[in-house]
Amino acid sequence: MVLGRQSPYTTPHILHKNYAQASDDQFASKLIGSDLEYFSQAGFDMDRIHLKRNAPVAQLYEDAIRNEGAILSSSGALINFSGKKTGRSPKDKRIVYEDTSKDEIWWGSVNIKMDEHTFEINRERAIDYLNTRENVYVFDGYAGWDPKYRIKVRVICARAYHALFMNNMLIRPTEEELANFGDPDFIIYNAGQFPANRFTKGMSSTTSVEINFKRMEMVILGTEYAGEMKKGVFSVMHYLQPVKFGQLSLHSSANVGMEKGDVTLFFGLSGTGKTTLSADPHRLLIGDDEHVWSDTGVFNIEGGCYAKCINLSQEKEPEIFNAIRFGSILENVVYDPASRTPDYDDVSITENTRCAYPIEYIPNAQIPCLVERQPSNIIMLTCDAFGVLPPVSKLTADQASYHFLAGYTSKTPGTEDGVLEPIPTFSTCYSAPFIVLHPGRYAEMLADRMSKHNVSCWLINTGWTGGKFGTGKRCPLSYTRRIVDAVHSGELLNAEYENFGVFGLQIPTKVEGVPREVLNPALAWADKEAFEREVRKLAGMFQKAFTLYEGDVQESVRDAGPKLE
């Protein structure tokens, strides 16, 4: 055999085009082992498909670049694309109506019923599609860092991009754990490239995202957006943790102090500062999005982060920016075709550009991502574009339940076409799209834990002050950070407070480094009549939104909201 000119540092057999592929085949087939019987019984054509279980990151890169049009970015991250769907499809989400869970589910516009037969049809459709692929990727991992409450999750998909995404977002097992993984507790069949049959009973489009709690399975059709898998796992944990384990699952970030070891939970919707404020150089990050408050402490559900990339810069968010390297995956991010440098300001594909990376890529991450200590503080974040709510308020237990159920923030003019004034958004438990049980159930568990462990709760407004959007200004981040520091130091526990009118909130009269007129919105507004109008307007919106829950909560919680005479 005669080889052409070659580097003296490269052995001849490595140049053979099938060398790596042959190794991949051997590695994958050996790793599946005893699980082959499971796949055969599930309907997979084992004589045709090539299973790759927990494939190395480099192999997933190669497959995604070779077969899916992915790009290797200048920083080493993989850039891939989710196709037509660049965000979640909440209107196409379904939960199977079956005997084991039907009495637990909060049925309605969030949790739409699907019958068991339709689920079986879609499941078969997904497996049939996967059987047409040459490569089928399997990733086995864990959801939940606390071994007492974690579940084993198996992802079966046709795209290397999806396998890499879940490799980052689930907790990665060791080789020994993978060898002894056994039967999974929850399985995701992701055939997102193939459409659902929109004429099938219960389908509203060619997209279908459905969960069956009896079978503990999820089927995805008609969407390649990777976030559906992440939130599918969260929905399952939102069901299992309270129902099976008696623990409280939360859509929140969490961090822990380096000196005192005190734990803080941050609740907040998009744009409120949840990720920014929980990233604190003096504290360790437990996680940025999904947690469980257990009987023994707080633990992260995920093994990675799924950060927004819009307008990302090294100056503003250095931790996230520097996490975008080999092993990370950039989703729907535009790049320079010559240099392969991502352009985080370009939203021509979508404003919902994302990056998924393992949590250990964050320098101050708490690894393992759990703390066996009860929280000391809860911070509920809101971005009030009406300029009405104070920058910080100390909440009573009933007020904490009320605002947790309300989940208030606001869209601002300019964020969407046709938005000419602030639009209130109420997302119950700060996680309406992922709620499985009745919101009151989570709120009751939250109140019980707060009472038992004497946890302080704070409502922090990162929105406007001195006027609403257009006349006032956004509360400076430096003030908000100073307020959060005052929460952690205990300064606010010893502060003097005054009552804030219609909303009945207790606001501090002094916080070192924050002007007095900023702390009390009534002082910040020059036009006092306009301020009173906006207060009453927002209070009315709260009252209207809360009617959905008031029949299911205690009278003291109903009375904890704003009052209009």
Side-chain angles (χ1 to χ4, degrees):
M1 179 178 179
V2 180
L3 294 172
R5 183 176 297 175
Q6 57 187 305
S7 164
Y9 304 107
T10 307
T11 52
H13 68 276
I14 289 179
L15 299 178
H16 194 282
K17 66 179 181 179
N18 292 323
Y19 173 75
Q21 187 64 53
S23 176
D24 293 348
D25 292 347
Q26 184 181 33
F27 171 81
S29 61
K30 278 187 177 179
L31 201 56
I32 289 296
S34 60
D35 287 330
L36 284 170
E37 184 179 351
Y38 156 77
F39 286 96
S40 297
Q41 291 177 348
F44 287 91
D45 186 351
M46 302 306 296
D47 295 327
R48 188 190 188 289
I49 64 172
H50 179 208
L51 284 169
K52 294 186 177 182
R53 182 192 187 209
N54 287 54
V57 169
Q59 185 186 136
L60 294 175
Y61 263 53
E62 292 168 2
D63 285 6
I65 292 170
R66 183 186 297 119
N67 304 322
E68 300 173 18
I71 297 294
L72 184 63
S73 77
S74 57
S75 70
L78 188 75
I79 301 177
N80 216 331
F81 305 92
S82 65
K84 184 178 179 181
K85 299 276 187 174
T86 58
R88 289 181 297 100
S89 302
K91 293 182 180 178
D92 298 307
K93 174 187 169 184
R94 300 288 185 273
I95 291 182
V96 175
Y97 187 80
E98 45 80 20
D99 290 341
T100 67
S101 65
K102 67 180 183 180
D103 295 331
E104 305 280 2
I105 309 298
W106 187 45
W107 301 107
S109 59
V110 173
N111 300 308
I112 304 171
K113 296 178 183 178
M114 167 184 277
D115 65 82
E116 292 182 85
H117 181 64
T118 300
F119 178 85
E120 294 291 347
I121 291 173
N122 287 342
R123 181 179 182 275
E124 285 298 300
R125 190 173 178 90
I127 292 175
D128 286 345
Y129 172 76
L130 292 168
N131 276 329
T132 69
R133 304 296 90 191
E134 180 180 351
N135 291 322
V136 173
Y137 300 91
V138 179
F139 183 77
D140 287 340
Y142 301 106
W145 279 85
D146 191 328
K148 298 189 298 295
Y149 307 115
R150 74 182 183 187
I151 64 170
K152 297 182 290 185
V153 179
R154 171 165 291 166
V155 180
I156 306 171
C157 55
R159 291 191 66 178
Y161 147 50
H162 289 153
L164 178 58
F165 177 86
M166 293 306 280
N167 173 82
N168 289 349
M169 296 313 302
L170 289 173
I171 300 163
R172 293 155 290 285
T174 64
E175 288 188 20
E176 182 180 358
E177 287 173 333
L178 188 60
N180 300 302
F181 195 76
D183 295 330
D185 300 309
F186 180 63
I187 302 172
I188 298 174
Y189 297 95
N190 188 344
Q193 302 97 306
F194 200 64
N197 185 336
R198 61 191 177 90
F199 296 109
T200 304
K201 180 182 177 183
M203 295 294 96
S204 53
S205 73
T206 56
T207 297
S208 183
V209 178
E210 56 216 46
I211 295 174
N212 186 328
F213 286 115
K214 179 190 284 185
R215 296 185 63 103
M216 288 301 291
E217 293 178 342
M218 179 182 187
V219 171
I220 299 174
L221 293 166
T223 174
E224 298 175 65
Y225 179 64
E228 294 287 9
M229 295 182 289
K230 164 190 161 71
K231 290 307 183 185
V233 172
F234 185 44
S235 293
V236 169
M237 292 292 271
H238 242 5
Y239 172 81
L240 286 180
Q241 289 300 319
V243 172
K244 179 179 178 179
F245 297 112
Q247 310 304 317
L248 177 59
S249 51
L250 297 166
H251 185 213
S252 74
S253 60
N255 64 22
V256 55
M258 293 181 183
E259 294 183 4
K260 298 189 296 182
D262 57 306
V263 176
T264 297
L265 299 173
F266 295 80
F267 302 147
L269 301 171
S270 179
T272 59
K274 182 178 64 171
T275 300
T276 301
L277 293 171
S278 60
D280 188 323
H282 303 295
R283 300 175 68 81
L284 299 175
L285 182 70
I286 303 172
D288 76 327
D289 196 46
E290 302 172 6
H291 290 84
V292 172
W293 183 354
S294 75
D295 293 337
T296 54
V298 173
F299 65 88
N300 192 350
I301 289 174
E302 301 181 296
C305 303
Y306 192 36
K308 290 184 178 180
C309 290
I310 186 169
N311 301 323
L312 180 65
S313 70
Q314 189 166 19
E315 293 73 28
K316 292 180 181 177
E317 296 176 280
E319 293 86 2
I320 295 174
F321 189 92
N322 293 327
I324 301 176
R325 49 192 169 93
F326 181 79
S328 300
I329 183 162
L330 288 166
E331 188 176 53
N332 299 319
V333 173
V334 177
Y335 61 92
D336 184 307
S339 66
R340 304 300 199 266
T341 302
D343 184 349
Y344 299 119
D345 297 324
D346 191 326
V347 295
S348 56
I349 297 176
T350 177
E351 289 193 5
N352 188 36
T353 53
R354 296 273 184 166
C355 180
Y357 50 86
I359 195 165
E360 51 263 36
Y361 282 16
I362 297 295
N364 66 329
Q366 166 76 27
I367 306 291
C369 303
L370 78 162
V371 176
E372 292 188 340
R373 179 167 174 170
Q374 297 297 326
S376 300
N377 291 287
I378 290 174
I379 293 176
M380 297 182 179
L381 298 166
T382 183
C383 175
D384 176 26
F386 294 92
V388 166
L389 294 178
V392 59
S393 312
K394 189 177 191 307
L395 302 183
T396 66
D398 288 330
Q399 286 175 329
S401 294
Y402 182 93
H403 285 276
F404 182 67
L405 284 167
Y408 165 70
T409 192
S410 51
K411 293 180 181 178
T412 57
T415 56
E416 295 181 8
D417 291 340
V419 178
L420 302 178
E421 65 175 21
I423 295 177
T425 299
F426 293 89
S427 183
T428 187
C429 304
Y430 298 97
S431 60
F434 325 117
I435 287 292
V436 180
L437 314 179
H438 189 282
R441 192 160 171 182
Y442 301 101
E444 185 177 348
M445 292 182 72
L446 180 70
D448 289 345
R449 277 166 161 70
M450 285 181 60
S451 174
K452 181 178 179 180
H453 302 292
N454 193 29
V455 181
S456 299
C457 187
W458 314 87
L459 180 66
I460 291 182
N461 174 25
T462 61
W464 271 253
T465 182
K468 64 180 181 180
F469 183 95
T471 58
K473 62 179 182 179
R474 189 86 186 253
C475 185
L477 179 59
S478 59
Y479 291 167
T480 306
R481 288 195 184 279
R482 175 77 269 281
I483 289 169
V484 173
D485 287 344
V487 168
H488 289 146
S489 69
E491 176 185 337
L492 281 182
L493 285 177
N494 301 315
E496 292 185 3
Y497 286 84
E498 60 184 335
N499 187 59
F500 182 65
V502 169
F503 280 83
L505 298 171
Q506 294 297 305
I507 58 177
T509 58
K510 181 182 179 181
V511 176
E512 191 69 34
V514 182
R516 172 82 171 92
E517 62 272 15
V518 171
L519 292 172
N520 190 332
L523 300 177
W525 281 62
D527 188 337
K528 305 304 181 185
E529 290 185 2
F531 172 71
E532 291 300 328
R533 285 197 303 270
E534 293 301 319
V535 167
R536 297 182 66 83
K537 180 179 179 181
L538 183 59
M541 292 176 180
F542 264 87
Q543 289 180 341
K544 183 178 180 181
F546 203 77
T547 55
L548 187 61
Y549 320 111
E550 62 185 7
D552 299 295
V553 299
Q554 296 178 356
E555 184 178 356
S556 59
V557 174
R558 290 197 299 271
D559 291 343
K563 295 181 175 62
L564 291 171
E565 295 179 358

